[in-house]
Amino acid sequence: MSKDLRHEKNCLNCGHEVPERFCTHCGQENTPAHEPFSHLLKHFVADVVHYDSKFHTSITYLLFRPGRLTKEYLAGKRVSYIHPIRLYIFVSFVFFFTAFAINKHEEVEEEKTTEHAILQTATDTLSHVLKGVQLDSEGGKPGTSAADYARRITHTTLDSTFASRSDSTGWEQFHSVAAYDSAQKTLPDSLRDGRGERWLYRRLIYLRHKYNNANYQEIFMEMIQHDGPKVMFLLLPLFALLMKAMYNWKRWFYADHAIFSIHVHSFWFILFLVVLILGRVFNTDAFNGWGWMLGFFYLMAAMRNTYSQGWGKSFIKASVISVAYCCSVLIVFLLFLLLAFAVIL
């Protein structure tokens, strides 16, 4: 018997008899309650190496062998691979975290660029005015002092520049729902917003105040960032349902299509994360089209390899599913936004 095992034959976890190293009832190893540090370290290294091996094998099959990971899992070979839901949660978390971190960085850079442009405009105007005042002085023309004139012109330039950014009409000029309601009451019935407009504007004003006066695009991005992963997770059963409609065979269960759906979505997250990073590095949107094409061909290849049909049938079914799924995603996100707005106020 190994030195790190207990001499007693009762399991410390469930109390059943342990004939050898592991309990046949609960699977716990029959080691002492107070383990030495070397034993803890050995288990830690074994678990890390084992997980890394599972992760490497799973990612390799997922990226470069479409459908292989699904076939292995459905064949019962599951110990060597990461569980599909764990894989999806990990990949989707990395995607959404990285995507919104990149978008946030781009917004900050755009704000800095805009502020720099405003400052440069004011500086150029000031230099031009000072030059003009100096010429007038040399010509003996009386006029306002250079400092006062430059200050007045510069303020005018800055006011006009910021006006193009801060001027707002309609609901955007109100900083609270109460102020909007009060303004509506002072207007005649013919000039008041309609019922649907009031419903929408009151919620937009509330969200602007909640998100520090952000515009509606930033509000929607914040909402999608917060609830987008949940919505995408709910779309997995819908995709599996479309797959079941395409392959309604007795030997295929709905759970089998769900596993296929999880693996395909995991690949799509990785693919579009790479597309997003490449677009950010090279400052171009040219990779988006290639990403959509590669995502479609991956789906077609995965369907062919998993369901063992020819390229022609796989192409037709992948096309139908892609169109139906894209329409479904748009409808679901629209319903999600309407539902999110409905519960506000």
Side-chain angles (χ1 to χ4, degrees):
M1 179 179 291
S2 177
K3 296 181 180 179
D4 57 359
L5 296 180
R6 298 171 60 244
H7 295 284
E8 296 81 2
K9 293 294 185 178
N10 64 307
C11 178
L12 295 177
N13 182 56
C14 64
H16 284 71
E17 182 180 357
V18 185
E20 297 182 3
R21 187 178 189 90
F22 296 95
C23 176
T24 57
H25 184 261
C26 68
Q28 177 169 295
E29 191 175 12
N30 191 26
T31 55
H34 301 284
E35 296 179 301
F37 180 76
S38 58
H39 191 248
L40 291 175
L41 184 61
K42 181 177 70 175
H43 273 278
F44 171 75
V45 173
D47 291 341
V48 170
V49 172
H50 180 61
Y51 182 81
D52 284 347
S53 175
K54 292 170 62 174
F55 183 81
H56 178 267
T57 305
S58 301
I59 290 296
T60 301
Y61 283 173
L62 181 69
L63 295 180
F64 305 108
R65 305 191 68 175
R68 174 66 182 273
L69 188 60
T70 305
K71 291 191 70 173
E72 291 286 304
Y73 191 88
L74 296 181
K77 302 176 182 179
R78 303 173 182 178
V79 177
S80 301
Y81 309 101
I82 300 177
H83 192 276
I85 295 181
R86 291 182 181 177
L87 177 64
Y88 175 85
I89 292 175
F90 173 76
V91 171
S92 62
F93 169 78
V94 173
F95 171 80
F96 281 102
F97 179 82
T98 306
F100 285 103
I102 291 176
N103 290 334
K104 197 68 176 177
H105 180 71
E106 289 179 348
E107 291 176 2
V108 172
E109 287 188 347
E110 289 177 359
E111 291 178 359
K112 291 181 178 179
T113 303
T114 304
E115 293 174 357
H116 176 74
I118 294 172
L119 181 60
Q120 185 64 40
T121 301
T123 305
D124 293 342
T125 303
L126 177 61
S127 301
H128 177 72
V129 170
L130 288 177
K131 182 178 179 181
V133 171
Q134 183 179 6
L135 291 175
D136 289 345
S137 300
E138 290 178 355
K141 298 179 181 179
T144 310
S145 65
D148 293 339
Y149 192 55
R151 189 182 302 111
R152 177 160 55 87
I153 295 299
T154 303
H155 285 175
T156 302
T157 303
L158 287 174
D159 290 342
S160 62
T161 305
F162 278 109
S164 62
R165 301 175 64 204
S166 60
D167 281 353
S168 58
T169 59
W171 67 271
E172 294 180 331
Q173 64 182 313
F174 298 101
H175 299 288
S176 67
V177 176
Y180 172 76
D181 291 339
S182 299
Q184 286 291 303
K185 291 179 181 179
T186 61
L187 297 174
D189 294 339
S190 59
L191 296 179
R192 292 181 184 179
D193 295 329
R195 180 178 299 179
E197 292 175 322
R198 288 198 304 271
W199 180 87
L200 177 62
Y201 294 159
R202 294 178 82 250
R203 283 154 177 79
L204 288 173
I205 293 169
Y206 171 81
L207 291 173
R208 280 192 72 198
H209 178 73
K210 180 180 179 181
Y211 293 107
N212 298 321
N213 293 325
N215 58 40
Y216 67 93
Q217 293 178 339
E218 294 173 340
I219 292 172
F220 290 154
M221 290 301 297
E222 287 284 349
M223 295 174 66
I224 293 175
Q225 179 180 4
H226 184 264
D227 295 319
K230 302 175 186 177
V231 176
M232 289 302 301
F233 188 80
L234 294 176
L235 284 169
L236 291 174
L238 176 60
F239 188 89
L241 190 61
L242 294 175
M243 294 297 302
K244 183 173 178 59
M246 289 289 119
Y247 298 96
N248 192 17
W249 304 344
K250 292 183 178 180
R251 71 187 185 95
W252 296 107
F253 295 94
Y254 178 79
D256 299 337
H257 302 303
I259 299 300
F260 178 85
S261 173
I262 291 173
H263 286 153
V264 169
H265 279 75
S266 299
F267 172 82
W268 283 345
F269 277 127
I270 297 175
L271 170 63
F272 284 104
L273 180 60
V274 173
V275 169
L276 182 64
I277 294 175
L278 290 176
R280 181 72 178 91
V281 171
F282 295 99
N283 194 25
T284 179
D285 295 330
F287 296 101
N288 294 343
W290 291 102
W292 285 105
M293 291 178 58
L294 183 57
F296 172 78
F297 284 113
Y298 181 91
L299 172 63
M300 180 177 62
M303 291 171 65
R304 176 186 178 274
N305 296 334
T306 302
Y307 298 99
S308 302
Q309 286 192 334
W311 285 107
K313 290 184 178 180
S314 299
F315 174 79
I316 295 174
K317 292 184 177 182
S319 301
V320 174
I321 288 179
S322 297
V323 174
Y325 186 61
C326 288
C327 294
S328 301
V329 169
L330 293 177
I331 295 174
V332 169
F333 268 96
L334 179 60
L335 293 176
F336 157 72
L337 291 176
L338 291 176
L339 179 62
F341 271 41
V343 299
I344 298 173
L345 301 176

